[in-house]
């Protein structure tokens, strides 16, 4: 209504405030618990030991997701960033609704049996199966109907977002495996392991992001392209060295195909 009356972006602000207000009223009516002005240092200590690691993990995840958008906006055009964000919209809508609904039920159930590793493992496996069964057909359907979907819902001017949309759909098919295992870790009270995994994942992801993005003023500029390639190769060597220092054997690929050994490069001899 506000958008129709000409309030522009303030209509989105009003929508968020209205949704949160309605949610708060519904929760106040349906949930009988009420906050009390009571403070307990003992409970604070117990919750803080678990909660600060979860908070740090959430902040790390938010910063990482925003860094990708900042990098696209910095190195490319605002149009590329718009197509990237729009391509993420539909897959993210499917995954966030289905996966969040399942996880909101699964986490308390896992917490009740957190001392039984076998039960937690079985519930995690079942959660993955249910989530994939619900999401995979929808995401595959979006991949197949992307041109028609984008043209109908967003108009033809957004057709360049289709490659991003399809890539996100493929990526999100595997998302239930990720979230179900993280829920199991949270339910078992291992926020320390949760934080360590987030640091490792975001560190590798950031290294890959930096290794695959470089600003070239002119795509036809061979010298600039070769300089960008050299930067990529150097970052790849540094990441490879860090992984090998940790005892992990790696076969890095950067700006070219693998040419390390005859077994990989020439399988037919």
């Amino acid at each position: 209504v506000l958008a129709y009356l000409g309030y522009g972006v303030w209509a989105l602000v009003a929508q968020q405030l209205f949704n949160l207000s309605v949610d708060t009223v519904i929760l106040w009516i349906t949930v009988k618990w009420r906050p009390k002005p009571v403070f307990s240092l003992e409970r604070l200590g117990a919750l803080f030991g678990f909660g600060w690691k979860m908070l740090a993990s959430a902040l790390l995840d938010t910063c990482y997701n925003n860094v990708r958008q900042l990098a696209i906006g910095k190195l490319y055009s605002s149009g590329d960033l718009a197509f990237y964000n729009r391509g993420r919209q539909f897959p993210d809508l499917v995954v966030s609704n289905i996966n969040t609904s399942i996880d909101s039920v699964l986490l308390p159930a896992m917490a009740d049996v957190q001392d039984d590793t076998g039960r937690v493992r079985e519930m995690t496996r079942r959660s993955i199966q249910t989530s994939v069964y619900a999401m995979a057909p929808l995401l595959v359907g979006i991949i197949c109907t992307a041109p028609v979907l984008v043209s109908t819902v967003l108009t033809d001017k957004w057709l360049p977002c289709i490659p991003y949309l399809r890539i996100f759909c493929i990526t999100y098919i595997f998302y239930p495996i990720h979230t179900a295992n993280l829920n199991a870790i949270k339910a078992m009270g291992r926020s320390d392991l949760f934080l360590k995994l987030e640091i490792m994942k975001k560190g590798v992801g950031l290294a890959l992001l930096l290794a695959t993005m470089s600003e070239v003023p002119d795509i036809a500029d061979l010298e600039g392209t070769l300089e960008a390639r050299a930067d990529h190769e150097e970052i790849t060597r540094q990441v490879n060295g860090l992984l090998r220092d940790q005892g992990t054997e790696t076969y890095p690929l950067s700006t070219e195909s693998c040419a390390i050994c005859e077994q990989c490069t020439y399988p037919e001899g």
Side-chain angles (χ1 to χ4, degrees), residues 95-142:
V95 171
S96 61
N97 281 280
I98 296 178
N99 216 38
T100 302
S101 299
I102 294 175
D103 291 346
S104 62
V105 177
L106 181 67
L107 183 60
M110 282 185 173
D112 289 339
V113 294
Q114 60 179 267
D115 296 326
D116 189 343
T117 306
R119 287 285 305 279
V120 173
R121 184 183 297 113
E122 178 61 27
M123 294 173 71
T124 302
R125 186 181 299 113
R126 189 173 302 175
S127 169
I128 294 173
Q129 293 173 348
T130 304
S131 299
V132 173
Y133 181 79
M135 288 191 298
L138 293 173
L139 294 174
V140 171
I142 292 175

